[in-house]
Amino acid sequence: MKQIGILGGTFDPPHIGHFIIADEVKYACGLDEIWFIPTNEPPHKRKATSTSEHRLHMVEKATEHTAYFKVKSMELDRRGTSYTIDTINELQEKYPTFFFSFIIGADMVEYLPKWKQIDELARKIQFIGVKRSNYRLTTCYPIREVNVPLIDISSTEIRKRIETGLPVQYLLPKEVYSYMKEHRLYETS
């Protein structure tokens, strides 16, 4: 049975923290691949700043040289609010012989009780929780904890740095940085 880790998010923009987490989880859990699935509209936070097309292209560019990283546009194609249960149901229908694990940061663990159909979801997949500064991996749901280097970077922080003219090039894969510059993403003027 193929073991797949799923890393979802707005990826607005995708930064090195996303790829460090994906790589560390792949090896710690013995996964075959990590699938990046950009969300269309996350139910727990505001709408993305850049378009779904830009976010998808940035993730594709950042992952194109790593054979075990794949990008799936299913939530963007589906439109509307992205719910993990809908994505897992679709994936299990398409890939019945694969086992899926869903990677979440410690900041999302506290929201698990509010996730749509969380009890059903917890029966269908394994959650893999990664540490994040100022958060604990405490929940009543089963979570496999993976220690990763604490890289305290967020997409929100990167957008704020761009707005204020601070450098971001070493916080992003070079392909993402080049794409953002080419398309003038997140620039205020």
Side-chain angles (χ1 to χ4, degrees):
M1 180 175 280
K2 201 166 191 179
Q3 302 282 325
I4 306 296
I6 297 170
L7 188 59
T10 52
F11 302 113
D12 193 23
H15 54 73
I16 61 167
H18 293 126
F19 304 102
I20 291 170
I21 287 168
D23 211 41
E24 291 288 324
V25 167
K26 183 215 182 288
Y27 286 100
C29 298
L31 303 177
D32 296 300
E33 296 175 348
I34 302 292
W35 292 2
F36 291 80
I37 302 180
T39 59
N40 189 45
E41 292 177 19
H44 61 279
K45 60 176 158 178
R46 68 175 184 77
K47 194 173 178 175
T49 303
S50 60
T51 67
S52 57
E53 292 81 11
H54 281 311
R55 293 184 294 112
L56 179 62
H57 289 311
M58 285 188 284
V59 176
E60 288 172 339
K61 289 194 171 296
T63 59
E64 66 188 354
H65 299 296
T66 306
Y68 53 83
F69 284 170
K70 308 292 183 201
V71 181
K72 303 291 182 183
S73 64
M74 57 196 300
E75 289 189 1
L76 299 175
D77 299 339
R78 198 166 51 229
R79 304 282 179 200
T81 303
S82 297
Y83 292 104
T84 303
I85 188 68
D86 298 333
T87 301
I88 293 302
N89 286 338
E90 185 178 337
L91 287 171
Q92 288 179 337
E93 188 175 308
K94 280 185 178 178
Y95 307 98
T97 61
F98 290 15
F99 181 78
F100 295 97
S101 296
F102 198 84
I103 304 163
I104 57 173
D107 57 323
M108 291 307 304
V109 170
E110 67 186 58
Y111 290 107
L112 280 178
K114 297 175 184 174
W115 284 28
K116 181 180 177 184
Q117 297 174 275
I118 184 60
D119 293 327
E120 178 185 352
L121 186 59
R123 286 189 298 272
K124 291 182 170 225
I125 62 168
Q126 175 180 38
F127 283 107
I128 298 174
V130 296
K131 290 184 178 179
R132 190 158 182 183
S133 295
N134 302 317
Y135 293 95
R136 294 181 18 205
L137 288 169
T138 307
T139 183
C140 62
Y141 295 98
I143 291 184
R144 180 173 180 181
E145 190 173 323
V146 173
N147 290 317
V148 300
L150 288 177
I151 307 295
D152 200 13
I153 300 170
S154 72
S155 297
T156 302
E157 177 187 340
I158 289 171
R159 291 191 309 271
K160 286 179 183 174
R161 290 178 66 89
I162 292 169
E163 287 174 16
T164 59
L166 292 173
V168 297
Q169 81 180 77
Y170 297 112
L171 304 176
L172 305 159
K174 65 182 180 203
E175 299 87 356
V176 171
Y177 182 74
S178 296
Y179 185 91
M180 285 171 37
K181 295 302 277 179
E182 178 185 344
H183 295 278
R184 301 181 53 109
L185 298 181
Y186 313 111
E187 295 177 13
T188 55
S189 56

